[in-house]
Amino acid sequence: MLPPIFCLLALIYSTTYKNGDVGVQIALPSDAIVVATSQLPPSCMISNSKSSINWHLRLDRSANPTQLQPKEFVHQLRSQRQDPEGTTVLADSSLKTDVSAGWWLVVEEPDGVFGWFAVPAIGNQMLVASVLTTKEGWEMHGSTLQQSLKSIAILDPIALVNEKMASLDASSAVLEQLNEQSLQALVGFHEWRRIQEITENGALERELGYMQVSVTTGNRKSINDLQTESGDPADGIIVTIRSRILPNPETGVVVDAVGQYWMSWDGKDERWTNRITRWFDRVSAIKSETGIRSRAKLGMAKPSLLVMQQDLTSNAIETPFQTSTEEPWLPSALVWVIGPVLKTSTASTFIWHAYDNSTEPKVTTRRDVISLNSDGTKTITTSFGITGDEMTTTVDQYGRLVKQVQQGNLLITGSTKETLEQIWQPKNLW
């Protein structure tokens, strides 16, 4: 789960997209989004999101029992269409990827531009990339789309399935170790984080804000503003998040976020509340979110998740989001301290189901890949759902944050209270 406030700062950026069902990896244009996927038949649809002139890219894995060459396969696809009067061929030639040669055919018709790129896939199959756009779209985006096609790498779907199963098992192993004793290592964790905006080249653009993360033991009642009795023992951990962001200095609007995330000792139950306040001078607007995940029980075969969002300024309540959840499930509390959680694991790849509210409440698939750096730090590369949006998190040997890059231009680094106070006290925002 990404901090809700960071949605204000999100940018769509170039990323490498991997689809295990189709068996393909491709570097997508900077304005691309994955809009649909299918397992049977294996396919996915990608479109642009920013330009008013649209283009669409469809990736399919098709049977090729007669072992046609890419050129023959592409021309066979074209033969299934009736060329209208005035059709011209823009390209009909070999196009090489890094590892294999395919065939690229593009035609311009009065209604638009159509292209097909075929490259051999594993097991007497053919990967086909189909492009659809307008004449203006082709003139504007054609070269970029062709560069993406040249980046295509063919993946083995069977090997990907085995990798996915191993990653799910690794995540389950981490969750199975959760108990009161193991979580004591997190209790007392406290960290200040500095939030900055950077350019595409990594240069500092400006200061955005700061965040404080802390972990304590606690009781679930305190999350729902219920009065806990003196005899109520701690029944889990509470991760508390406090942040202050100045998204746009020109407007002067400040965004404060306070969140508390409780998780039971075994991670099967969780509660959270977060409140976002946007304010300027004496005017403010407040929104809140409350989440409850309950373990499976008699009459309920699967754990359930209920999320309620409310505009406290207008007292408007959104339609509650409710769904069942699948294992392995990454509790929201652990998202904020994923470095310490994974610091002792020997596995390199983890796949979990998790809650995501970066756009709207939903359940997504999260993939964490750990790589070791020469200086002893670890980098966790995290991707979300079908879009493949990535963030990278570098942590030290204790799991503490060194730096994290989100949306390509958002840099979060470990810091100290003294450093942050020096930056924000002069602005009266401390």
Side-chain angles (χ1 to χ4, degrees), residues 278-285:
R278 295 171 173 84
W279 60 271
F280 175 74
D281 199 9
R282 297 182 180 181
V283 180
S284 65

Side-chain angles (χ1 to χ4, degrees), residues 95-266:
L95 183 65
K96 292 184 178 180
T97 67
D98 291 340
V99 294
S100 59
W103 197 267
W104 179 222
L105 173 63
V106 186
V107 298
E108 181 183 329
E109 299 178 359
D111 292 336
V113 174
F114 302 85
W116 301 270
F117 175 60
V119 62
I122 297 170
N124 290 336
Q125 295 184 335
M126 191 73 73
L127 176 73
V128 180
S130 306
V131 174
L132 169 62
T133 186
T134 62
K135 179 180 178 180
E136 294 80 7
W138 180 252
E139 292 174 350
M140 183 179 298
H141 303 290
S143 59
T144 302
L145 289 170
Q146 186 167 312
Q147 285 300 116
S148 284
L149 298 180
K150 291 171 67 175
S151 73
I152 284 177
I154 301 299
L155 306 177
D156 184 350
I158 296 178
L160 289 174
V161 168
N162 292 334
E163 177 187 333
K164 180 178 180 180
M165 295 303 296
S167 301
L168 290 169
D169 289 343
S171 299
S172 297
V174 170
L175 297 171
E176 288 170 0
Q177 294 174 5
L178 296 179
N179 54 52
E180 184 172 358
Q181 182 178 359
S182 66
L183 287 174
Q184 289 298 329
L186 287 177
V187 176
F189 179 91
H190 184 269
E191 194 168 72
W192 288 93
R193 298 176 181 179
R194 182 178 182 178
I195 306 170
Q196 300 169 298
E197 184 179 2
I198 57 176
T199 65
E200 292 183 357
N201 298 324
L204 174 62
E205 190 78 19
R206 64 186 181 89
E207 298 287 339
L208 284 175
Y210 55 93
M211 176 189 299
Q212 183 183 17
V213 181
S214 60
V215 182
T216 60
T217 60
N219 190 282
R220 75 184 75 195
K221 292 181 180 180
S222 61
I223 298 299
N224 300 107
D225 294 326
L226 298 177
Q227 185 175 1
T228 57
E229 299 178 6
S230 58
D232 288 340
D235 53 7
I237 62 170
I238 296 178
V239 179
T240 301
I241 312 297
R242 299 180 184 275
S243 67
R244 172 161 286 179
I245 306 288
L246 184 63
N248 189 341
E250 295 180 359
T251 64
V253 175
V254 179
V255 184
D256 290 339
V258 179
Q260 283 194 305
Y261 300 81
W262 171 87
M263 182 191 76
S264 62
W265 295 121
D266 60 3

Side-chain angles (χ1 to χ4, degrees), residues 15 60 69 79 116 132 140 159 170 192 195 197-198 224-225 249 259 288 310 315 341 364 370 375 410 418:
T15 185
D60 292 272
Q69 293 300 307
S79 68
W116 301 270
L132 169 62
M140 183 179 298
W192 288 93
I195 306 170
E197 184 179 2
I198 57 176
N224 300 107
D225 294 326
S288 71
Q310 182 177 7
N315 205 28
V341 170
T364 188
I370 300 178
D375 60 358
L410 188 63
E418 291 73 23

Side-chain angles (χ1 to χ4, degrees), residues 187-416:
V187 176
F189 179 91
H190 184 269
E191 194 168 72
W192 288 93
R193 298 176 181 179
R194 182 178 182 178
I195 306 170
Q196 300 169 298
E197 184 179 2
I198 57 176
T199 65
E200 292 183 357
N201 298 324
L204 174 62
E205 190 78 19
R206 64 186 181 89
E207 298 287 339
L208 284 175
Y210 55 93
M211 176 189 299
Q212 183 183 17
V213 181
S214 60
V215 182
T216 60
T217 60
N219 190 282
R220 75 184 75 195
K221 292 181 180 180
S222 61
I223 298 299
N224 300 107
D225 294 326
L226 298 177
Q227 185 175 1
T228 57
E229 299 178 6
S230 58
D232 288 340
D235 53 7
I237 62 170
I238 296 178
V239 179
T240 301
I241 312 297
R242 299 180 184 275
S243 67
R244 172 161 286 179
I245 306 288
L246 184 63
N248 189 341
E250 295 180 359
T251 64
V253 175
V254 179
V255 184
D256 290 339
V258 179
Q260 283 194 305
Y261 300 81
W262 171 87
M263 182 191 76
S264 62
W265 295 121
D266 60 3
K268 300 296 185 182
D269 290 298
E270 56 180 317
R271 305 280 189 276
W272 73 80
T273 61
N274 59 57
R275 178 174 297 194
I276 299 175
T277 304
R278 295 171 173 84
W279 60 271
F280 175 74
D281 199 9
R282 297 182 180 181
V283 180
S284 65
I286 306 173
K287 290 187 176 181
S288 71
E289 178 181 272
T290 301
I292 302 173
R293 184 173 70 93
S294 303
R295 68 183 67 223
K297 55 187 177 183
L298 186 63
M300 187 174 66
K302 291 184 177 181
S304 65
L305 174 66
L306 173 65
V307 179
M308 295 165 287
Q309 295 183 331
Q310 182 177 7
D311 187 329
L312 298 178
T313 306
S314 62
N315 205 28
I317 301 176
E318 301 288 338
T319 301
F321 172 75
Q322 189 167 12
T323 185
S324 58
T325 62
E326 301 284 344
E327 298 292 343
W329 179 270
L330 181 64
S332 295
L334 299 186
V335 169
W336 301 96
V337 288
I338 196 67
V341 170
L342 298 181
K343 70 177 183 179
T344 60
S345 178
T346 58
S348 61
T349 306
F350 305 83
I351 294 179
W352 345 61
H353 303 285
Y355 173 68
D356 175 32
N357 62 355
S358 55
T359 54
E360 59 183 7
K362 65 179 181 292
V363 171
T364 188
T365 301
R366 170 180 172 134
R367 184 172 186 263
D368 292 299
V369 180
I370 300 178
S371 57
L372 300 177
N373 303 317
S374 58
D375 60 358
T377 61
K378 294 181 180 179
T379 296
I380 306 172
T381 302
T382 306
S383 56
F384 302 90
I386 64 173
T387 62
D389 291 343
E390 286 189 351
M391 71 176 182
T392 58
T393 306
T394 301
V395 297
D396 64 17
Q397 59 180 325
Y398 304 106
R400 291 189 170 275
L401 180 68
V402 177
K403 68 175 181 178
Q404 183 180 85
V405 179
Q406 297 183 16
Q407 288 103 36
N409 73 323
L410 188 63
L411 175 65
I412 305 174
T413 54
S415 187
T416 64

Side-chain angles (χ1 to χ4, degrees), residues 70-80 92 103 105:
K71 180 179 180 179
E72 298 172 301
F73 202 94
V74 162
H75 280 273
Q76 186 180 81
L77 290 174
R78 184 193 177 188
S79 68
Q80 298 172 5
D92 189 7
W103 197 267
L105 173 63

